[in-house]
Amino acid sequence: MGRYKRAYVGGIIGTYSETPTISAPGYMDLITGTWGNKHNVFDNAVINPNYHYKNIFRLLKEHEAQKKIAIFSTWTDNRIKLVGEGLRQAGGVIFDYKFDGYELNQTTYPHDPEDYYIYHIDERVTNETVTCIRTSAPDLSWVYLQYTDDVAHMFGDSDQFNQSILNLDNQIGRMWEAVEYRQKQFNEDWLVIITTDHGRDPITGKQHGEQSNRERTTWIVINKKDTNDYFRDFELSIVDLLPTMARFLSISVPLESARELDGVPLIGNISLAKLEVNLLDNRIECSWKAFEHVGNVTIWLSTTNLFKNGMTDDYQLMATVAVDKETAMIDIQNYPSNFYKIVLAGRHNMVNKWLFRLSYNNSYIST
């Protein structure tokens, strides 16, 4: 079908980007391309999401309003809270096709102690997805299936969990057949990405939310065989998916949003990745991995984080260096601050990091 590779969720352990390995934060990581320190979702209550970090549906609609978007889901919070459908502060995005909330209909789906009703809802979601793909082919769709997580919470590592995965495989197979139908009958080009929001605890497989290796470990399946060297050679993360989708959909991500993205596209050319920054008194040491041998990297610095409040940060151009140099030192003596945002821009993509210090003379690093 394409490519498979292990990936991670949960941000960078012990730093400002560490994010709980919980469902809603994981979904928000995926659809915004940022970690919890930016989108501000840290549990399933989704109390105060920061919609200034635009999700992929909003980016597509703002780029081409006529494009059609769809959601197929058990959990209405995916649409109502995470995407923020219809909310002014979330861009007023409205789904053209939406199939969710079936768990609220207890007449059709009476709740049972082992949550088998969720399997029946996943079947409904699958069938609605298949029909919509075959007949309407939305430009961007989110399909969410829940039963495997419910089974794992109840039974952990078990025969029941293994069977739920086989059920899921069957459901995904039916949706893939609908995609193949569109490709063959209408000569359409489709990007299909399959992933999950978190792993399981290493002892029983029942829980998640912490930062153990198993809870952080997920996977990415993509139907494209022409993935790039970053996909092949480096550890992937859930925040890489928004830049990947945006590139496939030819979305021109606004500069102020592109500077905030924590992921790297998995298809097409990239210039650099794996940025590391180190605060050394009045200098910042930057290092990165180059993916091309021509062209330059521009290094930008801001001492504000106004973007989180919907305003624009003032970035200063600090240096221009050859991308294949893979290191640079910038002088920040004229920019005293407790906080720095560093953005490196290459020909094909950007990467960013934050730095903090306790005081101008007593610094510590959080990268």
Side-chain angles (χ1 to χ4, degrees), residues 4 6 116 119 122-123 126 145-153 155-175 194-196 198-200 205 214 219 221:
Y4 162 91
R6 289 294 179 97
Y116 197 63
Y119 167 73
D122 281 357
E123 280 288 291
T126 299
L145 301 175
Q146 180 178 315
Y147 185 59
T148 51
D149 187 57
D150 282 34
V151 171
H153 277 299
F155 299 104
D157 299 321
S158 61
D159 291 340
Q160 292 93 328
F161 183 47
N162 292 339
Q163 182 59 51
S164 74
I165 294 172
L166 293 176
N167 295 340
L168 177 65
D169 184 70
N170 175 271
Q171 291 161 344
I172 292 173
R174 284 145 55 193
M175 289 184 278
I194 308 168
T195 192
T196 188
H198 54 71
R200 316 300 310 183
R214 186 179 174 191
W219 37 263
V221 174

Side-chain angles (χ1 to χ4, degrees), residues 6-9 13 21 198-202 210-218 235:
R6 289 294 179 97
Y8 72 90
V9 297
I13 297 176
T21 55
H198 54 71
R200 316 300 310 183
D201 81 83
E210 303 300 327
Q211 295 290 329
S212 70
N213 185 60
R214 186 179 174 191
E215 286 164 286
R216 290 174 54 83
T217 299
T218 60
E235 186 180 27

Side-chain angles (χ1 to χ4, degrees), residues 155-341:
F155 299 104
D157 299 321
S158 61
D159 291 340
Q160 292 93 328
F161 183 47
N162 292 339
Q163 182 59 51
S164 74
I165 294 172
L166 293 176
N167 295 340
L168 177 65
D169 184 70
N170 175 271
Q171 291 161 344
I172 292 173
R174 284 145 55 193
M175 289 184 278
W176 174 243
E177 288 174 355
V179 171
E180 287 187 312
Y181 168 80
R182 295 295 308 191
Q183 290 176 323
K184 293 175 182 177
Q185 296 298 319
F186 298 93
N187 195 32
E188 294 171 346
D189 188 16
W190 282 68
L191 172 68
V192 176
I193 298 172
I194 308 168
T195 192
T196 188
D197 49 344
H198 54 71
R200 316 300 310 183
D201 81 83
I203 306 301
T204 67
K206 290 185 176 182
Q207 305 302 327
H208 55 84
E210 303 300 327
Q211 295 290 329
S212 70
N213 185 60
R214 186 179 174 191
E215 286 164 286
R216 290 174 54 83
T217 299
T218 60
W219 37 263
I220 292 171
V221 174
I222 185 170
N223 68 317
K224 297 298 181 184
K225 294 183 179 180
D226 55 343
T227 50
N228 54 31
D229 290 347
Y230 175 75
F231 182 99
R232 184 190 66 196
D233 297 333
F234 289 84
E235 186 180 27
L236 312 181
S237 74
I238 196 168
V239 294
D240 294 326
L241 297 182
L242 181 142
T244 303
M245 292 183 284
R247 175 162 287 180
F248 179 79
L249 293 166
S250 300
I251 297 173
S252 296
V253 179
L255 175 61
E256 61 272 17
S257 292
R259 283 172 165 165
E260 301 291 338
L261 294 179
D262 292 321
V264 174
L266 305 179
I267 57 175
N269 294 325
I270 65 170
S271 301
L272 71 164
K274 299 301 179 183
L275 172 64
E276 298 293 339
V277 292
N278 191 16
L279 188 59
L280 304 171
D281 294 326
N282 292 319
R283 298 177 298 165
I284 295 177
E285 180 184 43
C286 305
S287 62
W288 61 90
K289 170 61 182 176
F291 287 82
E292 58 181 350
H293 299 290
V294 296
N296 294 325
V297 167
T298 52
I299 302 176
W300 300 83
L301 179 78
S302 176
T303 59
T304 64
N305 193 21
L306 300 176
F307 184 88
K308 73 174 184 178
N309 297 318
M311 296 179 283
T312 301
D313 290 303
D314 181 21
Y315 280 91
Q316 302 297 318
L317 177 61
M318 304 300 293
T320 300
V321 299
V323 64
D324 61 356
K325 187 177 179 181
E326 295 190 329
T327 185
M329 189 76 72
I330 60 173
D331 186 345
I332 57 171
Q333 186 171 356
N334 294 328
Y335 302 93
S337 178
N338 289 328
F339 172 76
Y340 298 97
K341 292 167 74 170

Side-chain angles (χ1 to χ4, degrees), residues 53-81:
Y53 300 90
K54 297 180 180 181
N55 63 67
I56 186 66
F57 299 99
R58 181 177 180 180
L59 288 171
L60 179 60
K61 281 291 192 179
E62 290 181 350
H63 179 71
E64 292 186 76
Q66 74 276 16
K67 293 292 187 181
K68 304 299 183 182
I69 59 175
I71 188 166
F72 310 87
S73 173
T74 306
W75 198 38
T76 57
D77 282 0
N78 289 337
R79 172 173 56 86
I80 296 171
K81 292 185 177 182

Side-chain angles (χ1 to χ4, degrees), residues 24-25 28 39-51 75 77 80-82 84 87 89:
M28 205 64 161
H39 62 62
N40 201 43
V41 174
F42 290 95
D43 55 39
N44 287 340
V46 195
I47 298 298
N48 189 30
N50 191 334
Y51 295 120
W75 198 38
D77 282 0
I80 296 171
K81 292 185 177 182
L82 297 183
L87 296 178
Q89 63 268 34

